Amino acid sequence: MPIMNWDNTLDVGVPSMNEEHKRILDAMNRIYDAAQAGKTGDEINLLVERLGAICVKHFADEEAFMASIGYPSLSNHKFIHIDLLERYGTHAADIKAAGGRAGQAFFQFLTHWLAVHIKGIDAKYGAHAASGVRAA
C-alpha cells in the first residue's frame, strides 16, 4: 500500500515536471512498500540510492526549466534543493548505518517534503510558466 498517491493537488501545471514528480512518488512508494514488507539491507539501500539519483536528476531538470522561463526565484529554489538533498543524504546515511532499515522519520520527511515542496514551492514556478511573463 503506497504511503502517498498522486492526485491533482500535486499538479504544478508543467507536464514534464509532473511526470518527474510521479517518478519520485513511485520510487518513494517502492521504498515504503519494501520496508512495510520487512525488507532491509541492500534491497532498501539500493532503493534509497535510486530515489536519491532520481531527485538529483529531477532537481537539475527543474532548475533548467525554471531558467528557460526566466523564473525570478530560481536562485532561492536552488538553495532549497541543496538543503533537501543534504537532508536526504543524512537520512540515507542513517538508513545505511542501521543495516538498511528505513524508519518512520524518513517517511515523514519524504511525505512532508513532497506535500510542501510540490504544492507550495514548485506550484509557484508552474504559475509563473502559465503567466507567460519572462524575467528580463
Side-chain angles (χ1 to χ4, degrees):
M1 171 174 242
I3 191 170
M4 190 173 174
N5 289 307
W6 174 266
D7 63 39
N8 288 338
T9 67
L10 297 171
D11 184 344
V12 297
V14 180
S16 62
M17 294 299 105
N18 284 340
E19 288 307 311
E20 290 191 18
H21 289 152
K22 288 176 185 177
R23 280 193 284 280
I24 291 169
L25 193 58
D26 180 60
M28 180 184 82
N29 284 327
R30 287 176 189 265
I31 299 167
Y32 183 74
D33 290 344
Q36 291 299 108
K39 307 287 183 179
T40 61
D42 288 343
E43 186 170 351
I44 294 291
N45 287 328
L46 289 172
L47 290 170
V48 170
E49 286 177 29
R50 179 177 175 265
L51 175 56
I54 290 168
C55 291
V56 167
K57 180 189 178 312
H58 167 65
F59 290 165
D61 292 347
E62 195 171 67
E63 290 167 10
F65 173 76
M66 288 185 280
S68 77
I69 63 167
Y71 184 58
S73 296
L74 173 58
S75 61
N76 290 337
H77 206 114
K78 284 182 178 183
F79 284 119
I80 292 167
H81 285 167
I82 290 166
D83 177 61
L84 285 170
L85 288 175
E86 286 176 359
R87 292 191 299 156
Y88 186 84
T90 298
H91 282 284
D94 291 346
I95 290 167
K96 193 169 192 172
R101 287 178 182 80
Q104 195 59 33
F106 175 65
F107 295 112
Q108 287 173 343
F109 163 72
L110 290 177
T111 55
H112 179 76
W113 161 27
L114 281 173
V116 171
H117 187 80
I118 294 173
K119 291 178 183 180
I121 297 168
D122 288 352
K124 292 177 184 176
Y125 73 70
H128 179 80
S131 75
V133 175
R134 301 296 181 254

